[in-house]
């Protein structure tokens, strides 16, 4: 494996670009290959079997791009398919759950942690189990917030409808005295201003993408795989469908211009 090989990152769609942003902020000289399964998004409402199947297909696609490490930016795929991905891949695989849970435990003073995510992430209790594994006495309160995904894609970051929905979703968590809240979905960091306003300024928001990026850096350093280039890396983006307004939404998520964008045919993913 070569240091200049790219880091592979996949998500069910474009939400994982928030994780790309964290990785590039920390390691701007790394090359990135991103795959967003925009033809089959959302994963958050699909069965575990389907999420595992799609995740393995995404990983195989990225392996063909000679990636040196795989980041499962999708929280749903991390919650449901990480074990299978680790079983089948020989390169390191990093998901969102463990780094997010670790950071929440570090940040929490009272040991009461909230988690929000898609229905699949919450019903699999992925964050709750990880939090309990790290610190068994942690009290965990969870809430699925499925409407946050379309609101983030719509760009309603400061809209009264988003605030109303956030109030409804976060009502019970607010009563539980949580002091940290895991944003357990790729899209939620986009809505963090409204979430912070509604949940209150004393609650620390945990964006799993940030500690995941640090974990990627540690892994690469530990294996002498950090790119040594002094130039900015190349980021390539592959999607299984190019929806209308894709570029606009993607650039909002990433906070920079998207240059190399390609469409992947579904047959390429499913024909092994
Ligand atoms: N990427 C997904 C996640 O982080 C959100 C969108 C979806 O449901 O596929 O859980």
């Amino acid at each position: 494996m070569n240091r200049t090989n790219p880091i592979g990152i996949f998500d069910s769609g474009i939400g994982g670009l928030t994780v790309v942003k964290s990785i590039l902020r920390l390691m701007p000289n790394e090359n990135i290959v991103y795959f967003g399964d925009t033809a089959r998004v959302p994963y958050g409402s699909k069965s575990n079997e389907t999420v595992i199947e799609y995740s393995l297909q995404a990983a195989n696609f990225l392996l063909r791009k000679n990636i040196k490490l795989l980041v499962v930016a999708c929280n749903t795929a991390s919650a449901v398919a990480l074990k299978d991905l680790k079983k089948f891949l020989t390169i390191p695989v990093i998901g969102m759950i463990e780094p997010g849970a670790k950071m929440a435990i570090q940040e929490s003073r009272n040991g009461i942690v909230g988690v929000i995510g898609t229905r699949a992430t919450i019903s699999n209790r992925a964050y709750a189990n990880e939090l309990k594994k790290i610190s068994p006495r942690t009290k965990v309160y969870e809430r699925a917030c499925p409407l946050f995904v379309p609101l983030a894609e719509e760009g309603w970051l400061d809209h009264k409808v988003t605030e109303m929905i956030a109030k409804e979703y976060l009502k019970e968590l607010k009563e539980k005295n949580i002091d940290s809240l895991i944003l357990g979905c790729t899209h939620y960091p986009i809505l963090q201003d409204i979430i912070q306003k509604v949940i209150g300024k004393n609650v620390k928001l945990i964006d799993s993408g940030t500690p995941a990026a640090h974990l990627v850096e540690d892994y690469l350093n530990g294996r002498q795989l950090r790119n040594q280039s002094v130039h900015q890396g190349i980021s390539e983006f592959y999607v299984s469908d190019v929806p209308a307004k894709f570029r606009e939404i993607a650039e909002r998520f990433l906070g920079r211009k998207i240059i190399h964008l390609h469409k992947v045919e579904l047959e390429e993913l499913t024909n092994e």
Side-chain angles (χ1 to χ4, degrees):
M1 192 59 76
N2 201 307
R3 286 173 181 271
T4 54
N5 285 23
I7 298 172
I9 304 175
F10 90 86
D11 178 46
S12 54
I14 53 174
L17 294 175
T18 57
V19 179
V20 174
K21 192 174 173 180
S22 300
I23 290 176
L24 288 178
R25 201 183 293 138
L26 201 60
M27 296 169 281
N29 62 345
E30 289 291 343
N31 298 313
I32 302 276
V33 184
Y34 179 89
F35 172 68
D37 200 358
T38 43
R40 304 188 294 192
V41 69
Y43 284 9
S45 53
K46 294 198 167 63
S47 69
N48 286 0
E49 292 72 22
T50 301
V51 174
I52 291 170
E53 185 189 337
Y54 289 178
S55 300
L56 289 171
Q57 289 172 359
N60 274 321
F61 171 77
L62 289 172
L63 282 179
R64 294 199 286 275
K65 305 282 172 205
N66 292 321
I67 56 170
K68 57 184 174 186
L69 177 146
L70 177 69
V71 180
V72 185
C74 180
N75 284 258
T76 303
S78 299
V80 174
L82 199 71
K83 228 194 283 161
D84 293 81
L85 288 164
K86 284 189 169 171
K87 198 158 90 193
F88 291 111
L89 271 61
T90 52
I91 55 166
V93 182
I94 292 181
M96 296 295 116
I97 310 295
E98 196 190 315
K102 268 195 188 140
M103 189 173 171
I105 299 280
Q106 275 162 19
E107 294 290 336
S108 175
R109 281 148 286 129
N110 70 3
I112 310 177
V113 176
V115 183
I116 51 176
T118 64
R119 283 212 172 87
T121 300
I122 298 303
S123 67
N124 278 281
R125 308 219 63 213
Y127 276 107
N129 292 338
E130 190 64 33
L131 286 161
K132 295 270 186 195
K133 199 168 99 189
I134 304 169
S135 173
R137 268 187 296 185
T138 309
K139 278 204 175 119
V140 186
Y141 294 99
E142 300 167 286
R143 179 71 159 104
C145 305
L147 291 174
F148 280 172
V149 169
L151 288 167
E153 294 201 359
E154 196 60 34
W156 286 12
L157 315 187
D158 185 26
H159 196 290
K160 60 179 186 306
V161 168
T162 311
E163 190 169 336
M164 272 168 61
I165 291 170
K167 278 187 178 150
E168 184 62 34
Y169 278 151
L170 303 176
K171 198 163 60 189
E172 280 145 31
L173 287 179
K174 255 178 96 84
E175 290 162 6
K176 302 292 184 195
N177 197 25
I178 58 167
D179 73 350
S180 55
L181 176 64
I182 298 178
L183 305 178
C185 174
T186 46
H187 289 61
Y188 299 178
I190 302 282
L191 299 178
Q192 66 179 2
D193 290 350
I194 273 194
I195 294 173
Q196 188 78 74
K197 184 172 163 195
V198 171
I199 198 73
K201 61 178 184 334
N202 294 330
V203 176
K204 172 93 184 167
L205 300 186
I206 311 290
D207 167 5
S208 300
T210 310
H214 284 280
L215 192 58
V216 170
E217 189 179 37
D218 290 348
Y219 256 79
L220 294 178
N221 281 332
R223 289 167 175 73
Q224 279 74 47
L225 280 175
R226 265 293 268 127
N227 198 328
Q228 303 297 303
S229 167
V230 291
H231 301 291
Q232 194 175 46
I234 296 169
S235 299
E236 279 193 284
F237 301 94
Y238 293 84
V239 285
S240 48
D241 186 24
V242 186
K245 286 174 73 181
F246 174 85
R247 198 172 286 276
E248 180 195 322
I249 300 173
E251 288 178 353
R252 182 189 318 133
F253 272 60
L254 190 60
R256 64 150 88 175
K257 292 261 170 256
I258 297 236
I259 301 163
H260 306 284
L261 175 64
H262 317 273
K263 181 171 181 246
V264 185
E265 297 304 326
L266 275 182
E267 298 81 69
E268 210 183 313
L269 296 170
T270 51
N271 287 346
E272 272 306 298

